[in-house]
C-alpha cells in the first residue's frame, strides 16, 4: 500500500478516477500577490488576485490562474530505457509488468499518460536489420539487444498500456536501431497492442503525420514528438520527425494543430546528455514552438532531470517548457539518473480552448529490491533522501504533487 506524505492533499476524484492535484504550498515558498493556498477560489478571486507567474526563469515556482471548471490531467514520464539487466529480468519474470506495478496507481490517475519508448520493438531483426528467427521473450543479444543498438520484445508495449500509459513517443536517437524496417515493425507492434504513438511513420507512408490527437474529458490534446537526430542507419525514407532539421515544417504545422485541438504539446528528444541545465538551443527552440502555437514543451534525452521554465507568448498565453524528464526506468544507477519525476499538468476549457491551471511534479525513482529493478513513486523523503534532495534542488517545493492511494 502506498503511504501518504503527511503534508500532501488527497487526489480528488473526477469522473470516477482519482487525479493528481496540487498539494499545499510550504510557507517559505509563498509568493507575494498570490492568494493564500487554502483560500477557496472563486471566479471573482481569480480575476482580482491572479497568481504570480514567473517567466524566463529556470526552476521557478509556476502558478497559473485556477478555475472552478472541471479539469483534465496530463501526465508525462521520461525515458523507458531497457538495458540488458531489465531485458533479462523480463525474461525470467515473464514480461515487464512487474517493473511498473508500484507506479501503476500514479500512471492510471491521469486522464492521459505519456512516456518515451527509447528503442524499437522489432520482432525477428538482428542488429544489421537481417531477418532471423525470433527468440520470443528472451534476451538473446541478437534480436533483443541493449546499448548501443537497442531492441525490445513487444511485451513492453502491453506492459506499459496495462500500467496506465496512453501514448508513447517513438522519435528518439534510438528509433533507427533496427533500420527503417525496424520502425515499420515497431509501428506494427504498437498498433497490434492498441497503443497510440507519435514521432515516427512507416517507410511506405511518406505523407503520414507525425502528430497524434487523443481525447479526454471533452478536450482534444495533440502530441507532436521529434528528435535531434538518430544513431545507427540513415533515415532514408524520412520515417522520423526531427526537431531542428524539420523545424520549419513543425513551426508551420503548429498553428493548424492549434486550430484543430484544445491543447498542443511538443515533445522534443534533445539536449546534452547527463547535463542538468538546458542549453541555449533548447531554450531558443522551445520558445519558437510556444510562439507558433504549442501550449507546452516537454523534453527528454539527457537521462537526467532538467528544470522547467515559464514563458509568456506574444499573444499573452502562460506556457511551460520542461526541458528534460530524465529516465522513467533504466539501469543507470547514479542518483541523477535514477531520480526523476512524473510531470503533472491540469487543463480546463476556457472559452474556445483549454488552458493550464496547474503544473507540478510527482517524484519517482528506479528502485531495486532483491536484484529486481522497478519504477516507484517516492512517498517517504526520509527513506529516499538522496533522490528527494536531488529532485528538489531543481524544482521548487511548491511543485510537489500528491500520489494517489492504491
Amino acid at each position: 500500500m502506498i503511504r501518504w506524505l503527511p503534508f500532501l492533499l488527497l487526489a480528488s476524484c473526477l469522473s470516477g478516477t482519482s487525479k493528481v492535484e496540487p498539494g499545499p504550498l510550504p510557507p517559505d515558498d509563498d509568493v507575494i500577490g498570490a492568494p493564500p493556498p487554502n483560500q477557496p477560489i472563486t471566479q471573482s478571486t481569480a480575476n482580482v488576485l491572479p497568481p504570480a507567474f514567473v517567466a524566463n526563469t529556470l526552476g521557478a515556482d509556476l502558478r497559473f490562474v485556477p478555475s472552478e471548471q472541471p479539469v483534465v490531467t496530463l501526465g508525462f514520464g521520461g525515458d523507458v530505457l531497457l538495458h540488458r539487466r531489465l531485458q533479462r529480468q523480463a525474461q525470467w519474470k515473464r514480461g515487464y509488468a512487474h517493473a511498473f506495478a508500484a507506479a501503476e496507481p500514479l500512471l492510471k490517475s491521469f486522464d492521459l499518460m505519456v512516456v518515451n519508448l527509447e528503442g524499437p520493438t522489432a520482432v525477428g531483426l538482428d542488429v544489421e536489420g537481417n531477418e532471423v528467427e525470433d527468440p520470443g521473450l528472451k534476451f538473446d543479444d541478437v534480436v533483443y539487444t541493449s546499448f548501443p543498438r537497442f531492441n525490445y520484445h513487444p511485451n513492453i508495449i502491453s506492459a506499459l498500456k496495462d500500467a496506465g500509459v496512453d501514448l508513447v513517443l517513438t522519435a528518439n536517437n534510438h528509433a533507427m536501431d533496427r533500420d527503417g524496417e525496424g520502425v515499420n515493425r515497431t509501428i506494427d507492434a504498437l498498433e497490434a497492442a492498441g497503443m497510440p504513438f507519435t514521432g515516427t511513420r512507416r517507410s511506405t507512408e511518406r505523407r503520414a503525420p507525425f502528430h497524434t490527437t487523443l481525447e479526454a474529458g471533452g478536450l482534444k490534446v495533440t502530441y507532436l514528438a521529434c528528435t535531434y537526430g538518430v544513431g545507427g542507419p540513415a533515415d532514408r525514407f524520412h520515417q522520423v520527425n526531427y526537431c531542428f532539421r524539420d523545424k520549419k515544417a513543425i513551426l508551420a504545422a503548429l498553428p493548424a494543430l492549434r486550430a484543430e485541438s484544445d491543447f498542443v504539446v511538443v515533445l522534443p528528444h534533445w539536449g546534452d546528455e547527463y547535463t542538468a541545465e538546458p542549453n541555449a538551443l533548447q531554450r531558443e527552440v522551445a520558445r519558437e514552438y510556444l510562439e507558433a502555437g504549442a501550449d507546452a514543451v516537454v523534453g527528454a534525452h539527457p537521462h537526467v532531470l532538467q528544470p522547467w521554465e515559464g514563458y509568456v507568448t506574444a499573444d499573452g498565453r502562460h506556457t511551460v517548457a520542461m526541458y528534460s524528464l530524465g529516465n522513467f526506468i533504466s539501469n543507470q544507477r547514479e542518483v541523477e539518473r535514477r531520480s526523476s519525476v512524473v510531470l503533472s499538468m491540469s487543463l480546463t476549457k476556457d472559452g474556445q480552448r483549454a488552458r493550464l491551471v496547474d503544473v507540478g511534479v510527482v517524484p519517482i525513482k528506479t528502485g531495486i529490491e532483491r536484484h529486481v529493478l522497478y519504477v516507484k513513486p517516492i512517498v517517504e523523503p526520509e527513506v529516499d533522501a538522496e533522490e528527494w534532495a536531488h529532485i528538489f534542488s531543481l524544482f521548487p517545493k511548491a511543485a510537489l504533487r500528491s500520489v494517489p492511494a492504491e
Side-chain angles (χ1 to χ4, degrees), residues 198-387:
T198 170
T200 55
R201 60 191 177 192
R202 289 186 176 89
S203 56
T204 55
E205 298 175 341
R206 302 293 294 275
R207 296 183 180 274
F210 287 117
H211 67 272
T212 297
T213 300
L214 301 181
E215 275 196 57
L219 298 183
K220 292 182 178 180
V221 181
T222 295
Y223 299 90
L224 176 64
C226 61
T227 179
Y228 73 91
V230 295
D235 183 6
R236 294 171 294 162
F237 300 105
H238 195 189
Q239 292 177 258
V240 184
N241 197 25
Y242 298 96
C243 304
F244 308 123
R245 194 181 85 183
D246 295 336
K247 187 178 74 170
K248 287 184 179 179
I250 294 172
L251 294 176
L254 284 172
L257 297 180
R258 178 173 171 78
E260 296 167 1
S261 58
D262 296 295
F263 197 81
V264 179
V265 187
V266 178
L267 301 125
H269 200 78
W270 61 1
D272 301 319
E273 286 189 311
Y274 314 119
T275 302
E277 186 167 315
N279 60 43
L281 184 59
Q282 285 173 268
R283 298 181 76 179
E284 175 189 338
V285 175
R287 294 175 184 187
E288 291 184 72
Y289 291 153
L290 295 167
E291 289 288 359
D295 297 289
V297 172
V298 181
H301 173 63
H303 303 303
V304 296
L305 284 170
Q306 292 180 345
W308 62 28
E309 180 177 25
Y311 181 72
V312 181
T313 61
D315 60 1
R317 291 177 292 121
H318 286 189
T319 64
V320 61
M322 173 75 180
Y323 289 106
S324 173
L325 282 170
N327 292 323
F328 183 71
I329 190 169
S330 78
N331 190 35
Q332 295 184 329
R333 303 304 303 145
E334 297 83 355
V335 63
E336 296 84 2
R337 306 185 200 184
R338 69 176 186 261
S339 309
S340 189
V341 298
V342 168
L343 179 67
S344 164
M345 293 186 187
S346 296
L347 321 177
T348 193
K349 193 70 174 280
D350 197 2
Q352 294 300 309
R353 300 195 75 251
R355 67 172 177 85
L356 282 166
V357 296
D358 182 71
V359 177
V361 298
V362 179
I364 62 171
K365 65 172 283 188
T366 297
I368 185 167
E369 185 174 335
R370 296 181 180 178
H371 307 291
V372 174
L373 293 165
Y374 63 100
V375 59
K376 68 164 193 169
I378 298 175
V379 295
E380 297 179 295
E382 66 277 10
V383 174
D384 297 307
E386 194 175 11
E387 294 87 351

Side-chain angles (χ1 to χ4, degrees), residues 73-75 106-115 157 160-169 190 194-198 212-216 223:
T73 55
L74 310 182
L106 172 61
L107 304 183
K108 288 185 173 179
S109 72
F110 295 98
D111 291 304
L112 295 173
M113 179 69 207
V114 176
V115 298
I157 301 170
L160 288 169
K161 185 177 181 181
D162 291 345
V165 173
D166 300 292
L167 178 141
V168 296
L169 317 180
L190 290 164
M195 174 68 83
F197 63 95
T198 170
T212 297
T213 300
L214 301 181
E215 275 196 57
Y223 299 90

Side-chain angles (χ1 to χ4, degrees), residues 49-112:
L49 291 173
F53 186 82
V54 180
N56 309 323
T57 303
L58 292 172
D61 179 7
L62 297 183
R63 303 190 184 190
F64 296 81
V65 177
S67 172
E68 291 183 313
Q69 301 302 313
V71 298
V72 170
T73 55
L74 310 182
F76 301 86
D79 301 328
V80 175
L81 189 61
L82 303 179
H83 294 101
R84 179 185 307 266
R85 180 170 184 166
L86 278 159
Q87 293 190 61
R88 284 181 169 165
Q89 182 177 299
Q91 178 180 334
W92 60 269
K93 291 290 248 180
R94 299 183 181 179
Y96 288 97
H98 68 281
F100 307 109
E104 186 173 324
L106 172 61
L107 304 183
K108 288 185 173 179
S109 72
F110 295 98
D111 291 304
L112 295 173

Side-chain angles (χ1 to χ4, degrees), residues 32-53:
I32 296 174
N38 296 321
Q39 176 179 328
I41 299 296
T42 64
Q43 190 60 45
S44 59
T45 303
N47 288 336
V48 174
L49 291 173
F53 186 82

